[in-house]
Amino acid sequence: MKKIGVLTSGGDAPGMNAAIRAVVRKAIFNNIEVYGIKNGFQGLIEGNIEKMDIGSVGDIIQRGGTILHSARCKEFKTDEGQNKGIEQMKKHGIEGLIVIGGDGSFRGAVKLTEKGYPCIGIPGTIDNDIAGTDFTIGFDTALNTVIEAIDKVRDTASSHERTFIIEVMGRNAGDLALWAGLADGAESILIPEKKDELHDVVERLKRGQERGKKHSIIVLAEGVDNGFNYAEKIKETADLETRVTVLGHLQRGGSPTASDRVLASRLGAEAVDLLLDGKAGKIAGIQNNQLVNHDISEILQKKHTIDLNMYQLSKELSI
Ligand code: F6P
């Protein structure tokens, strides 16, 4: 293999730039040419492709977002879209592709691999919702962003003796909410994997108030409900006033943490090694701090699981 491509796809995540840098530098180290594809699979279809060199990834390891830009591309779900992408790969002589993104992006990678164009996936999403890896690139940074935000909300919650609902991202996964809630000592953590009944949440709030607790933090994963709906439900059930903070897209930005930069560097380099070893349709991941790889199609069928011991711990520590 002499020429490979790299793209970022789906929701961006801090650390994607560090992964791009690792892919480009590791490939060049092995005398392989690298082509950067802009705007994910959309850019592949449109031929938005440029050769990268060592300098194109200088000064990016510390930057959030993705220098290759990202997109969610409906057209690439179709045979026609995939074939247009393959035409562009042929035109540029690209023999293998590294796809940095989440599960939607990996479906595209599987299709290309099935059509004879080997792809390797690198999990990059703040949601941490990919099976076969303990962590995805961007999760640690987003977690730290959420914690910083909750700490700030707690200051005002404490001053005004209020209950706050903090809605965090994660799509259908509760990892961000669970880790942030545990790290922040939240009074309640609501995650899709373990639905707390509303009356339990209310009971917990009331018990706290009876013990003299003056403020409370409820961390709500977006996969459970919308923060404002949930506030309304608490109001209707228990006549309790709450305030709602929706953290939104600020969770996707910011300079990646050391942990995300290191993870991205390791996975980026590993993805190149996998391609050069003749592997195809694999996802590079990390389990028990060891680099691993799995078939993407297998991973897409597995459900990412959350550590329910952590959930139990959060309950025990926030009595
Ligand atoms: O997958 C990352 C993510 O930020 C999810 O947590 C969230 O549900 C979604 O993307 C938001 O997508 P968009 O940026 O397209 O609104």
Side-chain angles (χ1 to χ4, degrees), residues 10-13 72 102-103 124-127 129 168-172 176 222 248-249 251-252:
D12 62 347
R72 302 190 201 274
D103 52 2
T125 163
I126 65 162
D127 301 335
D129 60 350
V168 305
M169 280 187 170
R171 206 179 283 277
N172 299 314
L176 254 188
E222 65 173 354
H249 284 80
Q251 294 163 96
R252 288 238 297 261

Side-chain angles (χ1 to χ4, degrees), residues 171 190-193 195 220-226 230 233:
R171 206 179 283 277
L190 303 173
I191 53 173
E193 295 85 349
K195 285 217 172 82
L220 171 70
E222 65 173 354
V224 172
D225 203 347
N226 159 302
Y230 208 80
K233 288 182 192 161

Side-chain angles (χ1 to χ4, degrees), residues 99-290:
V99 174
I100 308 170
D103 52 2
S105 319
F106 296 153
R107 284 179 222 286
V110 168
K111 289 292 177 197
L112 285 180
T113 303
E114 284 169 359
K115 292 184 179 203
Y117 284 82
C119 293
I120 302 293
I122 298 180
T125 163
I126 65 162
D127 301 335
N128 207 40
D129 60 350
I130 309 288
T133 187
D134 293 341
F135 296 106
T136 56
I137 296 167
F139 172 67
D140 186 64
T141 308
L143 174 61
N144 280 282
T145 302
V146 171
I147 288 170
E148 206 185 317
I150 298 180
D151 287 347
K152 288 181 176 155
V153 170
R154 207 182 259 289
D155 288 344
T156 174
S158 159
S159 307
H160 288 264
E161 304 186 350
R162 281 173 169 160
T163 296
F164 268 82
I165 298 173
I166 319 261
E167 183 194 311
V168 305
M169 280 187 170
R171 206 179 283 277
N172 299 314
D175 293 58
L176 254 188
L178 176 58
W179 283 65
L182 186 57
D184 257 301
E187 279 64 31
S188 286
I189 302 172
L190 303 173
I191 53 173
E193 295 85 349
K194 192 89 186 153
K195 285 217 172 82
D196 252 276
E197 295 298 333
L198 181 62
H199 63 82
D200 287 340
V201 175
V202 166
E203 272 315 301
R204 193 174 273 268
L205 282 176
K206 286 190 169 159
R207 263 205 321 270
Q209 284 174 352
E210 279 158 20
R211 279 202 347 263
K213 213 178 234 282
K214 299 285 186 228
H215 72 274
S216 292
I217 299 287
I218 299 172
V219 179
L220 171 70
E222 65 173 354
V224 172
D225 203 347
N226 159 302
F228 293 99
N229 278 343
Y230 208 80
E232 205 45 53
K233 288 182 192 161
I234 292 182
K235 174 91 181 124
E236 279 168 13
T237 315
D239 198 27
L240 282 175
E241 278 286 337
T242 54
R243 290 286 190 274
V244 179
T245 303
V246 179
L247 295 182
H249 284 80
L250 72 82
Q251 294 163 96
R252 288 238 297 261
S255 175
T257 57
S259 180
D260 270 331
R261 295 181 200 192
V262 171
L263 177 64
S265 301
R266 292 175 76 188
L267 295 183
E270 176 69 2
V272 173
D273 276 343
L274 288 170
L275 267 186
L276 297 187
D277 280 355
K279 301 276 190 332
K282 298 277 183 187
I283 174 177
I286 189 135
Q287 288 177 311
N288 300 319
N289 201 26
Q290 299 297 313

